[in-house]
Amino acid sequence: QVQLVESGGGLVQPGGSLRLSCAASGFGSRYYAIGWFRQAPGKEREAVSCISSRDDYTRYADSVKGRFTISRDNAKNTAFLQMNSLKPEDTAVYYCAADDRIWTCEFKQSDYGYWGQGTQVTVSS
Protein backbone atom coordinates (compact mmCIF):
# COMPACT_ATOMS: atom_id res chain seq x y z
CA GLN A 1 0.00 0.00 0.00
CA VAL A 2 1.50 3.28 -1.13
CA GLN A 3 1.58 6.11 1.36
CA LEU A 4 2.81 9.68 1.02
CA VAL A 5 3.37 11.80 4.10
CA GLU A 6 4.17 15.50 3.83
CA SER A 7 5.84 17.53 6.54
CA GLY A 8 7.60 20.83 6.97
CA GLY A 9 4.77 23.29 6.62
CA GLY A 10 4.21 26.17 8.99
CA LEU A 11 4.00 29.91 9.44
CA VAL A 12 6.75 32.03 7.93
CA GLN A 13 7.22 35.72 7.29
CA PRO A 14 7.38 37.09 3.76
CA GLY A 15 10.83 36.57 2.33
CA GLY A 16 11.43 33.54 4.51
CA SER A 17 12.06 29.91 3.60
CA LEU A 18 10.56 26.51 4.28
CA ARG A 19 11.47 23.03 3.15
CA LEU A 20 8.67 20.56 2.62
CA SER A 21 9.30 16.83 2.69
CA CYS A 22 7.30 14.01 1.16
CA ALA A 23 8.12 10.56 2.48
CA ALA A 24 6.95 7.74 0.22
CA SER A 25 6.45 4.12 1.14
CA GLY A 26 4.98 1.09 -0.55
CA PHE A 27 6.38 1.54 -4.05
CA GLY A 28 8.11 -1.51 -5.47
CA SER A 29 10.94 0.55 -6.92
CA ARG A 30 12.28 4.08 -6.87
CA TYR A 31 10.95 4.77 -10.35
CA TYR A 32 7.98 7.00 -9.72
CA ALA A 33 7.34 10.57 -10.72
CA ILE A 34 6.60 13.10 -8.01
CA GLY A 35 4.58 16.28 -8.16
CA TRP A 36 3.92 19.08 -5.71
CA PHE A 37 0.59 20.85 -5.88
CA ARG A 38 -1.07 23.51 -3.75
CA GLN A 39 -4.54 24.77 -3.01
CA ALA A 40 -5.19 28.22 -1.64
CA PRO A 41 -8.49 29.09 0.07
CA GLY A 42 -11.23 29.55 -2.49
CA LYS A 43 -9.02 28.48 -5.37
CA GLU A 44 -8.52 25.33 -7.36
CA ARG A 45 -5.55 23.10 -6.70
CA GLU A 46 -2.66 23.96 -8.98
CA ALA A 47 0.65 22.42 -9.95
CA VAL A 48 3.78 23.83 -8.38
CA SER A 49 6.59 21.55 -9.43
CA CYS A 50 7.40 18.00 -10.50
CA ILE A 51 10.37 15.70 -10.92
CA SER A 52 10.64 12.74 -13.22
CA SER A 53 11.45 9.25 -12.06
CA ARG A 54 14.60 8.38 -14.00
CA ASP A 55 16.53 11.43 -15.12
CA ASP A 56 15.40 13.86 -12.42
CA TYR A 57 14.04 16.27 -15.01
CA THR A 58 12.25 19.07 -13.17
CA ARG A 59 9.57 21.59 -14.02
CA TYR A 60 8.17 24.60 -12.20
CA ALA A 61 5.11 26.77 -12.38
CA ASP A 62 5.94 30.29 -13.55
CA SER A 63 4.80 31.69 -10.21
CA VAL A 64 7.51 29.82 -8.28
CA LYS A 65 10.30 29.60 -10.84
CA GLY A 66 13.59 30.80 -9.39
CA ARG A 67 12.28 30.59 -5.82
CA PHE A 68 11.36 26.92 -5.33
CA THR A 69 13.54 23.87 -5.89
CA ILE A 70 12.32 20.29 -6.08
CA SER A 71 14.64 17.39 -5.35
CA ARG A 72 14.53 13.77 -4.30
CA ASP A 73 16.63 11.41 -2.20
CA ASN A 74 15.99 8.00 -3.67
CA ALA A 75 17.86 6.22 -0.88
CA LYS A 76 15.37 7.66 1.62
CA ASN A 77 12.33 7.56 -0.67
CA THR A 78 11.79 11.21 0.10
CA ALA A 79 11.13 14.24 -2.06
CA PHE A 80 11.69 17.83 -1.05
CA LEU A 81 10.40 21.23 -2.02
CA GLN A 82 12.72 24.01 -0.94
CA MET A 83 10.78 27.24 -0.91
CA ASN A 84 12.68 30.51 -0.70
CA SER A 85 11.62 34.15 -0.93
CA LEU A 86 8.13 33.18 0.13
CA LYS A 87 5.27 35.54 -0.62
CA PRO A 88 1.81 35.85 0.97
CA GLU A 89 0.35 34.46 -2.24
CA ASP A 90 2.24 31.22 -1.62
CA THR A 91 -0.10 30.55 1.30
CA ALA A 92 -1.87 27.27 0.62
CA VAL A 93 -2.12 23.64 1.55
CA TYR A 94 0.69 21.85 -0.24
CA TYR A 95 0.26 18.29 -1.45
CA CYS A 96 2.73 15.84 -2.85
CA ALA A 97 1.61 13.28 -5.38
CA ALA A 98 3.34 10.30 -6.93
CA ASP A 99 2.78 7.51 -9.39
CA ASP A 100 4.95 4.74 -10.80
CA ARG A 101 2.90 4.56 -13.99
CA ILE A 102 4.41 7.81 -15.20
CA TRP A 103 8.10 8.40 -15.59
CA THR A 104 8.00 11.92 -16.90
CA CYS A 105 7.40 15.14 -15.03
CA GLU A 106 3.70 15.91 -15.26
CA PHE A 107 1.49 18.79 -14.14
CA LYS A 108 -1.71 16.91 -14.87
CA GLN A 109 -3.27 16.01 -11.53
CA SER A 110 -5.17 13.05 -12.90
CA ASP A 111 -1.87 11.38 -13.80
CA TYR A 112 -1.10 10.85 -10.13
CA GLY A 113 -2.80 8.02 -8.31
CA TYR A 114 -1.32 8.63 -4.89
CA TRP A 115 -1.60 11.78 -2.79
CA GLY A 116 -0.47 12.89 0.61
CA GLN A 117 -2.70 14.48 3.21
CA GLY A 118 -1.31 17.96 2.68
CA THR A 119 0.65 20.40 4.81
CA GLN A 120 -0.32 23.99 5.49
CA VAL A 121 2.04 26.79 4.49
CA THR A 122 1.14 30.26 5.69
CA VAL A 123 3.18 33.29 4.66
CA SER A 124 2.28 36.28 6.76
CA SER A 125 3.84 39.03 8.81
Side-chain angles (χ1 to χ4, degrees):
Q1 181 179 357
V2 173
Q3 284 191 319
L4 302 175
V5 179
E6 301 103 332
S7 60
L11 173 64
V12 63
Q13 292 187 342
S17 298
L18 282 174
R19 188 175 83 153
L20 304 184
S21 298
C22 173
S25 61
F27 282 112
S29 74
R30 69 174 186 86
Y31 296 114
Y32 49 90
I34 295 169
W36 283 98
F37 298 81
R38 67 185 181 187
Q39 187 167 20
K43 294 188 177 181
E44 292 187 353
R45 190 162 59 187
E46 62 177 2
V48 175
S49 182
C50 59
I51 185 166
S52 65
S53 67
R54 290 185 179 265
D55 58 4
D56 286 350
Y57 171 80
T58 59
R59 182 180 172 189
Y60 299 92
D62 288 343
S63 58
V64 307
K65 204 171 291 183
R67 300 187 298 122
F68 290 12
T69 302
I70 190 171
S71 62
R72 62 193 299 165
D73 183 336
N74 292 323
K76 297 181 179 179
N77 291 316
T78 302
F80 304 97
L81 186 68
Q82 178 68 43
M83 305 186 297
N84 299 329
S85 303
L86 283 162
K87 305 175 181 179
E89 51 263 43
D90 294 318
T91 295
V93 178
Y94 283 72
Y95 300 89
C96 71
D99 206 297
D100 54 0
R101 295 171 301 171
I102 54 173
W103 291 353
T104 58
C105 180
E106 300 290 347
F107 271 8
K108 191 176 177 183
Q109 297 183 43
S110 60
D111 282 343
Y112 296 92
Y114 305 102
W115 291 78
Q117 81 287 353
T119 185
Q120 176 70 47
V121 171
T122 302
V123 184
S124 175
S125 55

